[in-house]
Amino acid sequence: MKTIHEKIRDFWKKIRVLAIVCNQFGDSGKGKIIDLLALFANIIVRGTGGDNAGHTVLTNGKKYTFHVIPSGILYDSEGKTNIIGKGTVVNPRTVLLELATLRENNLSYNNLMISLKANLILPHHILIDRLGNRPEVKDRIGTTGRGIGPAYVDHYDRQGLIVNDLLNEDIFWGKLKRSVENKIAFLKCFDPEIVKQIMNHPHLENGRYYHNEKSILDMDAILDRYLEYGRELRPFIRDTDAFVREALFQEKNIILEGAQGLLLSIDSGTYPFVTSSDCSWFGLSEGCGINPGRVDLVLGVTKSFYMTRVGEGPFPTELGGEMSAKWCGSKEATKEKETQKYPNAGVNHKDEFLQGIGIRFEGDEYGATTGRPRRVGWLDLPLLRYAILRNGPYLVLTKLDVLDRCETIKICHEYVYAGPTYHYGERVINPGDKLRVAIPNAEVLAHCQPAYKEFEGWQCDISKKRSSNDLPEKLREILQWLRIVTPGRLSILSVGADREDTIF
Ligand code: IMP
Ligand code: MG
């Protein structure tokens, strides 16, 4: 039988540019797949999002979580280039913290590049993000609080600062003044005590940028700090678009590393409960500086047979429904509290809420960025079919081993609509209508009741299986059924956390 190295080498034979994106709400295990396929890649590029992402990579028994640096960084010593592309929003402080972690672990980052065109996340972006996401705000999105949305708004509002501005003091100062001054009147509408409290948050360096009640932001402090960041990051700031163009010409193997997931995409997701970048493969290629036409293969990573969502927004198959959403969104919900409070939770609990918690324990589904418990639900095929329409048919199913001990697996194969009559262009959706492909609009999804097909669980350890023929019959039946009821084509199965626990 071929080794994993040989399989990956074969995999790359017909492709040059590979996009790896998530078909769900993020946290589907892209990090592991990117780390694995990067074995035979030369360049790994991130093109969207910022330090809201949390990509977990496991090597030699050690777990690393990166928020902004691409997941291929552990290959730096082999000369592979990792790029933070132009479509991302960059918080220089987070980059430097991650570089420090790499140094502490004796890992190199000599070949890291940061696009000079990427937009900067500035202190007022974090402030505005956090003001809009206080628990008492109606219809809050439940963001990661990293300033992602406001940084992208500034970009589209033509008030953004880019990474290159860190290298040019006068330009930085002029743009900073404009960006900040345009927001002061708005910021003054908030309770000064709340503003001050947020400005004292560790992400805002405990008040370093706070001036006073009247002017709120200390622009001199921002300038000083960001110029310092510029001096530290200078060796990495590059015209990465030109670099990538040249690499395409030289036929290098390139991985485009997606962040978040299609259903969180600003253009294709469950708007407004989304992030502020386009997480589809074409949004990703734009953000990497690559014409989407140059992408040879798109892999849609899909957690199976359960899925998760962090933050607010509709989630039809959520185990425990409203109760789960409420608990996961509450301030007190942490891994420790949950373990103490629900010791009886388990993957086979008859109570859905406790079964959801059981799956969360089993899959260790806690936000890599915020530590929040991820809401857990069954795999949702109407959403998956919709994602396949956008991201294409090639699927990577991940975390299959998490449900090893599950007695019954439920998969949502269609929705029954139970809301008020809804006009979707020329189409009219009436109560009782069945939907096989989801309409991702939050107003529709909120009223979709899942219809499930139940399967008997395989109830054995699959993490050491190395070929699909070795998988238990009951699991093979489910995979067979998936091939029939979705247009998806199964390319890779991940049956455990380690690199070797992968079936091609
Ligand atoms: P933002 O990206 O911080 O603006 O958050 C917007 C929404 O996207 C919130 O519901 C977040 O929980 C969600 N989100 C952002 N990044 C991730 C991620 O990497 N994994 C899962 N959810 C995310
Ligand atoms: Mg994640």
Side-chain angles (χ1 to χ4, degrees):
M1 205 168 107
K2 285 185 178 166
T3 64
I4 192 105
H5 275 72
E6 289 164 339
K7 286 180 189 168
I8 296 169
R9 196 193 50 211
D10 290 352
F11 177 89
W12 277 103
K13 270 189 183 146
K14 292 188 217 100
I15 52 176
R16 285 282 168 267
V17 184
L18 167 67
I20 301 178
V21 288
C22 163
N23 276 336
Q24 297 163 325
F25 296 101
D27 307 310
S28 51
K30 287 184 293 290
K32 169 187 157 165
I33 303 302
I34 291 161
D35 172 69
L36 186 69
L37 295 173
L39 263 172
F40 285 86
N42 308 103
I43 300 169
I44 301 96
V45 201
R46 261 196 67 176
T48 52
D51 55 346
N52 49 348
H55 293 174
T56 308
V57 184
L58 194 86
T59 28
N60 301 328
K62 203 168 154 103
K63 197 162 133 181
Y64 296 92
T65 301
F66 301 110
H67 301 288
V68 47
I69 288 182
S71 306
I73 195 69
L74 301 180
Y75 290 102
D76 181 85
S77 59
E78 297 175 24
K80 299 187 197 293
T81 307
N82 279 272
I83 299 179
I84 301 172
K86 72 156 178 222
T88 62
V89 281
V90 176
N91 182 337
R93 176 174 166 265
T94 313
V95 179
L96 289 167
L97 286 173
E98 291 185 4
L99 296 187
T101 306
L102 290 168
R103 272 199 309 278
E104 282 157 22
N105 288 283
N106 289 321
L107 295 163
S108 71
Y109 46 81
N110 299 321
N111 302 297
L112 176 71
M113 294 184 187
I114 306 172
S115 169
L116 53 81
K117 280 193 200 161
N119 274 252
L120 286 174
I121 298 175
L122 292 153
H124 48 290
H125 297 141
I126 300 175
L127 171 62
I128 295 168
D129 190 7
R130 287 181 177 265
L131 280 168
N133 273 282
R134 286 166 295 136
E136 60 271 27
V137 174
K138 198 174 161 278
D139 294 331
R140 66 198 278 268
I141 310 291
T143 70
T144 60
R146 301 297 167 103
I148 307 297
Y152 278 114
V153 168
D154 255 8
H155 173 53
Y156 285 102
D157 204 16
R158 294 150 295 188
Q159 296 183 29
L161 277 76
I162 59 173
V163 168
N164 200 58
D165 297 333
L166 295 172
L167 307 178
N168 299 284
E169 179 170 349
D170 291 346
I171 294 172
F172 185 96
W173 180 246
K175 288 189 179 177
L176 177 71
K177 261 177 70 179
R178 179 160 174 266
S179 175
V180 169
E181 281 167 1
N182 279 330
K183 291 168 189 76
I184 291 296
F186 164 73
L187 289 172
K188 281 191 184 155
C189 301
F190 292 89
D191 177 348
E193 267 314 304
I194 292 175
V195 170
K196 190 172 170 187
Q197 199 185 326
I198 296 176
M199 289 303 295
N200 279 320
H201 191 277
H203 279 141
L204 286 162
E205 298 194 62
N206 311 305
R208 174 188 275 266
Y209 305 114
Y210 184 66
H211 197 213
N212 58 32
E213 239 177 62
K214 253 180 85 193
S215 54
I216 304 173
L217 290 141
D218 183 342
M219 286 196 282
D220 290 314
I222 300 176
L223 177 75
D224 282 355
R225 187 59 154 177
Y226 275 68
L227 290 181
E228 196 180 313
Y229 288 149
R231 284 191 288 276
E232 288 188 62
L233 293 177
R234 177 186 280 276
F236 311 106
I237 301 176
R238 298 275 297 272
D239 181 352
T240 60
D241 283 7
F243 180 86
V244 170
R245 268 198 306 274
E246 178 63 23
L248 283 172
F249 185 68
Q250 294 174 2
E251 306 212 317
K252 299 277 192 212
N253 288 354
I254 306 178
I255 290 182
L256 313 186
E257 168 171 343
Q260 287 82 41
L262 184 84
L263 305 174
L264 288 176
S265 165
I266 187 86
D267 294 325
S268 308
T270 59
Y271 193 91
F273 301 100
V274 293
T275 189
S276 298
S277 58
D278 178 6
C279 320
S280 71
W281 73 274
F282 32 91
L284 171 62
S285 22
E286 295 283 354
C288 292
I290 286 185
N291 176 341
R294 297 297 300 262
V295 176
D296 298 310
L297 177 67
V298 179
L299 289 178
V301 183
T302 309
K303 190 148 65 182
S304 298
F305 298 107
Y306 72 103
M307 54 196 274
T308 56
R309 169 162 210 164
V310 199
E312 307 300 317
F315 186 5
T317 61
E318 181 165 18
L319 277 154
E322 287 266 300
M323 195 174 162
S324 158
K326 220 171 148 201
W327 164 247
C328 293
S330 71
K331 261 199 157 155
E332 55 162 339
T334 60
K335 189 173 178 176
E336 289 67 38
K337 284 257 175 65
E338 194 165 68
T339 320
Q340 283 165 13
K341 196 166 168 185
Y342 301 109
N344 296 329
V347 295
N348 292 315
H349 206 290
K350 292 289 166 273
D351 179 278
E352 285 199 346
F353 174 71
L354 292 172
Q355 185 177 27
I357 295 178
I359 296 176
R360 184 151 63 240
F361 286 158
E362 199 72 25
D364 198 23
E365 297 290 356
Y366 298 86
T369 300
T370 57
R372 289 180 287 180
R374 297 175 182 146
R375 299 156 66 191
V376 170
W378 296 112
L379 178 64
D380 179 324
L381 295 189
L383 280 175
L384 179 59
R385 291 187 190 104
Y386 167 75
I388 289 173
L389 291 176
R390 305 271 149 168
N391 279 339
Y394 298 101
L395 303 182
V396 179
L397 302 190
T398 55
K399 292 204 144 187
L400 284 166
D401 56 309
V402 172
L403 298 186
D404 272 357
R405 291 188 300 119
C406 211
E407 286 158 9
T408 308
I409 309 259
K410 288 165 75 174
I411 299 181
C412 164
H413 60 92
E414 67 180 6
Y415 296 148
V416 181
Y417 180 70
T421 296
Y422 183 83
H423 298 271
Y424 189 58
E426 84 290 4
R427 210 172 139 192
V428 184
I429 318 281
N430 285 307
D433 282 0
K434 291 183 172 157
L435 297 177
R436 270 177 65 79
V437 180
I439 294 170
N441 299 15
E443 305 85 359
V444 178
L445 268 190
H447 301 292
C448 285
Q449 290 171 352
Y452 290 108
K453 183 166 166 68
E454 292 192 8
F455 294 87
E456 256 183 72
W458 50 92
Q459 299 196 65
C460 63
D461 175 9
I462 57 167
S463 65
K464 295 296 158 260
K465 305 293 183 200
R466 295 294 176 258
S467 107
S468 53
N469 295 329
D470 297 339
L471 289 174
E473 193 51 40
K474 283 178 181 151
L475 170 53
R476 284 158 52 99
E477 263 170 38
I478 307 179
L479 297 174
Q480 190 66 42
W481 177 77
L482 271 186
R483 277 184 211 115
I484 298 166
V485 299
T486 73
R489 318 240 316 246
L490 306 184
S491 301
I492 298 176
L493 306 176
S494 172
V495 292
D498 290 323
R499 281 184 184 167
E500 283 69 29
D501 305 339
T502 311
I503 299 174
F504 280 78

